[in-house]
Amino acid sequence: GKAEVVVELIHFDRYISTDNALHELDRMGMRPIELHELLAFGEKYSDVQREFPIVALGSVWRYRIGDRRVPYLYGYGSERHLDLGWVGDGWGGVCWFAAVRK
């Protein structure tokens, strides 16, 4: 089915761990978006990911050796990409986090 959601992009403007980003989003009354919402956002607003990486902390993929990864969109020039970022690395100040109101 289809559902309308308003995705907000949150920028912490600093390096932030995944746990701290999740805590801050929760404190703001937000939940991180999931992969299907990230893909829909990327389809509708295809140029945004060329400006900065957009992280979706709501979908976690567990690699066979135990580390966790989350999807993010990024791009440059005419290219657009979807990749998985390692949760343990944390996120640089260039990253924006996609979230919706709870």
Side-chain angles (χ1 to χ4, degrees):
K2 291 185 178 186
E4 286 284 326
V5 296
V6 177
V7 174
E8 295 185 41
L9 299 178
I10 309 299
H11 187 230
F12 296 111
D13 200 26
R14 67 182 190 280
Y15 170 87
I16 191 166
S17 70
T18 299
D19 287 342
N20 285 343
L22 289 168
H23 175 76
E24 288 296 317
L25 291 174
D26 185 55
R27 189 182 60 75
M28 298 166 65
M30 311 283 287
R31 71 156 176 85
I33 66 169
E34 297 176 2
L35 176 60
H36 68 280
E37 295 163 318
L38 179 69
L39 295 175
F41 179 88
E43 180 180 25
K44 187 169 184 178
Y45 303 103
S46 59
D47 287 334
V48 176
Q49 73 189 75
R50 292 184 185 105
E51 297 175 33
F52 43 77
I54 304 166
V55 182
L57 295 175
S59 289
V60 178
W61 178 72
R62 187 171 300 275
Y63 191 57
R64 63 188 159 135
I65 60 172
D67 64 338
R68 297 172 298 147
R69 299 180 184 263
V70 295
Y72 69 98
L73 298 174
Y74 70 99
Y76 47 88
S78 62
E79 296 184 15
R80 296 171 50 222
H81 300 276
L82 169 67
D83 206 346
L84 293 170
W86 184 41
V87 169
D89 278 344
W91 306 95
V94 299
C95 293
W96 290 65
F97 297 85
V100 295
R101 296 262 168 217
K102 290 184 180 180

